[in-house]
Each structure stands twice: as structure tokens, then as C-alpha cells.
């Protein structure tokens, strides 16, 4: 009798383990799925935040180019006259508001650099697309173009870190907080030279300096014309 009870006990234990293992595995699987879903949601949220930041910057810049005063006429705000592109420099204006004057200035500087970076990212992407498709042909893959763009964007970011300011003004508004206006510029010739070096050093890039310069000149002119048509 004791022997039978012992066997039954072993059987019950075995069945419990057999049942619990799938449940544990399912639980681990669900946990992994939940963790991945949380990570995906976080990445999506961060992307939306960055998109909102960029849109806020663009909206702010568009709003400050001109502003109506109390009588309904348009007035140009500070630093706008020093924010236009020309043949020698690419420039951008940023604004920032904060209860602290220095924080407002810092926000305006970051806004100017971010808008310039976004504009240059479009320029670099267009330039690499023109060059790869027209010079290297269909045999060139996306990986090759991505490496070329990565090298050129490193140049842009480096130049923006050292960008010279051409205007820096800050005023206290009627709400008691500070509104700052900041303009940065990067030299076109230096930019072109460094972009050409970065492109030439890209892995497996069949570099043609004359063709690259041609596409770069065309893209820079198109960028300047687009800004001019937009009124700034």
C-alpha cells in the first residue's frame, strides 16, 4: 500500500511539473513580448517627440520672420536681416524663450543649429542621391549611399559645433520672461571642401571630384533659391 502511495505521489509530482513548465514558458514568452512592445512604444514615442520638436522650431521660425504690431502693420524682428544666405555663408535664425536670460539664449542657439542641421541633412541626402545614381549607377547599393551620407553629416555636425554667431539679442517681454534671437553661419567654401574630402574617403566610393562639385553647386543653388522664395 505504501508502495502504491509512493508511486502515486511521484505521478502527481511529474504531472505538476509537466503542467507548470509550459505555463512558465508561456509566461516568459509573454514577458518578452510585453518587454518588446514596451520598447517599441518607447521608440515610437521618442520619434514623435523629436518630430514635434522639429515642427515647433520650424513653426517658430516661420512665425518670427514678420509679426504684426498693435496697428496691424508688419515689423521685422531682431536678427532677421543677418539670417539670409548668400554665396559665402549658409545662415539660420533661432529663437528661444525662458524665464532665465541665459537659458533663453541657449535655446535660441540650439534652435538655429537644429534648423540648419535639418536643412543640411536634406541637402546631403539629395547630393548623395544625385552622385550615386548618376556617377556610380544602379549597381551601387543603399549601404554605399548611407556611408557617404554618414561621412558628410559628420562634417556638417562638426562645422555647426564651431559655427560663428552673427547676431545674439535678448529682450524681456511684457510677461517678464526673456525672448532670445540667435543667428549662426557656416562658410560655403569650407563646407564644400570638407564634404568632398568626406565623400572621397567613403568606402568603395568611385569618387569623381568634378562630378561631385557639379552636383554640390547645383544643390547649394537650389537650397538658396528655395529659401529666397520662402521670403527669408
Amino acid at each position: 500500500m505504501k508502495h502504491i502511495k509512493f508511486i502515486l505521489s511521484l505521478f502527481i509530482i511529474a504531472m505538476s511539473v509537466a503542467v507548470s513548465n509550459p505555463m512558465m514558458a508561456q509566461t516568459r514568452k509573454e514577458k518578452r513580448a510585453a518587454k518588446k512592445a514596451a520598447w517599441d512604444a518607447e521608440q515610437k514615442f521618442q520619434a514623435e517627440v523629436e518630430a514635434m520638436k522639429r515642427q515647433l522650431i520650424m513653426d517658430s521660425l516661420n512665425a518670427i520672420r514678420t509679426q504684426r504690431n498693435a496697428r496691424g502693420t508688419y515689423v521685422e524682428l531682431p536678427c532677421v536681416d543677418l539670417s539670409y544666405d548668400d554665396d559665402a555663408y549658409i545662415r539660420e535664425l533661432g529663437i528661444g524663450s525662458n524665464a532665465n536670460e541665459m537659458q533663453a539664449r541657449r535655446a535660441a542657439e540650439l534652435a538655429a543649429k537644429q534648423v540648419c542641421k535639418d536643412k543640411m541633412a536634406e541637402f546631403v541626402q539629395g547630393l548623395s542621391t544625385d552622385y550615386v545614381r548618376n556617377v556610380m549607377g544602379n549597381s551601387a547599393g543603399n549601404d554605399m549611399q548611407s556611408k557617404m551620407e554618414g561621412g558628410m553629416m559628420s562634417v556638417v555636425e562638426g562645422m555647426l559645433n564651431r559655427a560663428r554667431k552673427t547676431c545674439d539679442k535678448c529682450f524681456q517681454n511684457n510677461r517678464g520672461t526673456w525672448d532670445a534671437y540667435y543667428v549662426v553661419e557656416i562658410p560655403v567654401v569650407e563646407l564644400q571642401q570638407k564634404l568632398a574630402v568626406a565623400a572621397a574617403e567613403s568606402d568603395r566610393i568611385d569618387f569623381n571630384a568634378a562630378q561631385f562639385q557639379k552636383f554640390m553647386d547645383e544643390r547649394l543653388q537650389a537650397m538658396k533659391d528655395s529659401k529666397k522664395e520662402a521670403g527669408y
Side-chain angles (χ1 to χ4, degrees):
M1 185 68 176
K2 290 182 180 180
H3 183 66
I4 294 174
K5 287 182 178 180
F6 177 72
I7 293 175
L8 286 173
S9 298
L10 290 177
F11 178 75
I12 291 171
I13 292 171
M15 289 298 294
S16 299
V17 171
V19 171
S20 63
N21 281 342
M23 291 179 65
M24 291 174 64
Q26 181 66 27
T27 300
R28 287 196 297 270
K29 184 177 180 181
E30 290 175 349
K31 286 181 178 179
R32 286 196 299 270
K35 187 175 181 180
K36 184 178 184 303
W39 187 87
D40 290 341
E42 176 65 19
Q43 295 302 305
K44 182 179 179 182
F45 174 75
Q46 291 297 333
E48 291 175 348
V49 168
E50 290 303 316
M52 289 175 65
K53 286 181 180 178
R54 288 194 294 271
Q55 189 59 49
L56 284 171
I57 290 171
M58 295 303 298
D59 290 346
S60 296
L61 287 175
N62 290 332
I64 68 167
R65 299 301 177 182
T66 53
Q67 179 175 305
R68 286 184 183 272
N69 64 16
R71 297 181 180 179
T73 58
Y74 281 102
V75 293
E76 196 169 74
L77 296 186
C79 292
V80 173
D81 58 329
L82 297 174
S83 68
Y84 300 110
D85 290 346
D86 56 30
D87 292 337
Y89 293 96
I90 295 171
R91 302 184 178 95
E92 279 300 340
L93 168 66
I95 60 169
S97 296
N98 198 283
N100 180 278
E101 182 180 359
M102 292 304 297
Q103 290 297 324
R105 277 196 165 95
R106 180 58 175 162
E109 178 186 1
L110 291 175
K113 290 182 177 181
Q114 184 61 54
V115 173
C116 192
K117 181 180 177 180
D118 290 345
K119 181 173 69 175
M120 292 307 301
E122 294 181 10
F123 166 78
V124 164
Q125 185 178 30
L127 174 59
S128 64
T129 299
D130 289 344
Y131 185 85
V132 170
R133 288 181 180 177
N134 290 281
V135 176
M136 303 185 69
N138 296 328
S139 59
N142 292 331
D143 181 60
M144 193 176 297
Q145 184 172 339
S146 295
K147 288 182 178 180
M148 188 177 185
E149 290 176 11
M152 290 194 289
M153 280 308 298
S154 293
V155 167
V156 171
E157 290 172 1
M159 293 190 69
L160 281 174
N161 288 336
R162 302 184 304 275
R164 190 180 75 167
K165 69 177 180 182
T166 62
C167 189
D168 178 10
K169 296 182 179 181
C170 197
F171 306 93
Q172 196 167 26
N173 57 44
N174 55 15
R175 300 185 304 276
T177 57
W178 294 88
D179 294 329
Y181 306 83
Y182 198 100
V183 176
V184 296
E185 68 176 18
I186 55 177
V188 172
V189 172
E190 182 182 354
L191 175 67
Q192 288 182 309
Q193 292 172 344
K194 290 185 175 182
L195 288 180
V197 171
E201 292 177 347
S202 298
D203 293 341
R204 296 179 293 138
I205 292 293
D206 182 15
F207 188 70
N208 183 310
Q211 286 292 327
F212 185 82
Q213 185 66 47
K214 174 179 177 293
F215 292 128
M216 188 159 46
D217 289 340
E218 291 173 352
R219 284 283 171 176
L220 283 169
Q221 185 61 49
M223 185 172 62
K224 188 167 66 173
D225 292 343
S226 176
K227 189 172 182 179
K228 185 177 180 180
E229 290 174 2
Y232 57 90

